[in-house]
Amino acid sequence: AGVRHVKVWRVEETRANSPSKSRFMTEAKGPNTPQASAPKSLLGRNCLLGPMLDTVFTCATAVGNDKAILCSLSGEVCLVDDSDKSQKLLRIGKLHFGISCVSFSAAREELWIGGADGNI
């Protein structure tokens, strides 16, 4: 998160390598060497910000496997919903202070939001 920027990364459990990459890795290591798992890059997509294009996003926290809360310096509280893999950004609230930190307790189902001057 940042100025005019929200990106959602997805960790894929299994990802098949291309046949040429697998062959190259095997040939480079030799026939008797076990094939090590190659580093995998995270797949990510930018969220469309719409009317929040000029927003400075300051913090985020996951609230589920496919949802996160995202907060801004101007007090916006947003939900990033990736349940259908389209990264929807929805404004769900506005506070009277700039937000600098957010935390979610799954056990208590509570969202804690903090800002300057001790605002919680």
Side-chain angles (χ1 to χ4, degrees):
V3 178
R4 297 183 178 185
H5 180 82
V6 174
K7 187 163 189 163
V8 176
W9 287 277
R10 188 174 299 114
V11 177
E12 298 292 333
E13 293 298 322
T14 58
R15 192 169 133 195
N17 289 332
S18 67
S20 61
K21 186 174 182 178
S22 297
R23 187 181 77 235
F24 173 74
M25 295 290 286
T26 303
E27 289 172 0
K29 293 175 187 260
N32 296 330
T33 307
Q35 191 174 10
S37 61
K40 297 177 185 174
S41 60
L42 294 175
L43 301 175
R45 293 190 58 187
N46 290 330
C47 287
L48 296 177
L49 301 180
M52 301 189 74
L53 182 62
D54 292 325
T55 303
V56 178
F57 296 102
T58 55
C59 52
T61 188
V63 293
N65 289 334
D66 52 10
K67 291 183 176 75
I69 297 293
L70 187 65
C71 301
S72 77
L73 191 59
S74 54
E76 279 89 11
V77 180
C78 302
L79 175 69
V80 178
D81 185 353
D82 191 40
S83 57
D84 60 357
K85 304 206 183 324
S86 66
Q87 296 90 19
K88 292 181 203 145
L89 181 66
L90 307 166
R91 182 176 165 203
I92 58 174
K94 171 115 170 100
L95 301 178
H96 64 280
F97 58 89
I99 301 169
S100 58
C101 60
V102 62
S103 181
F104 177 68
S105 169
R108 299 176 84 183
E109 295 185 353
E110 290 179 340
L111 186 67
W112 290 83
I113 297 174
D117 302 323
N119 289 310
I120 296 180

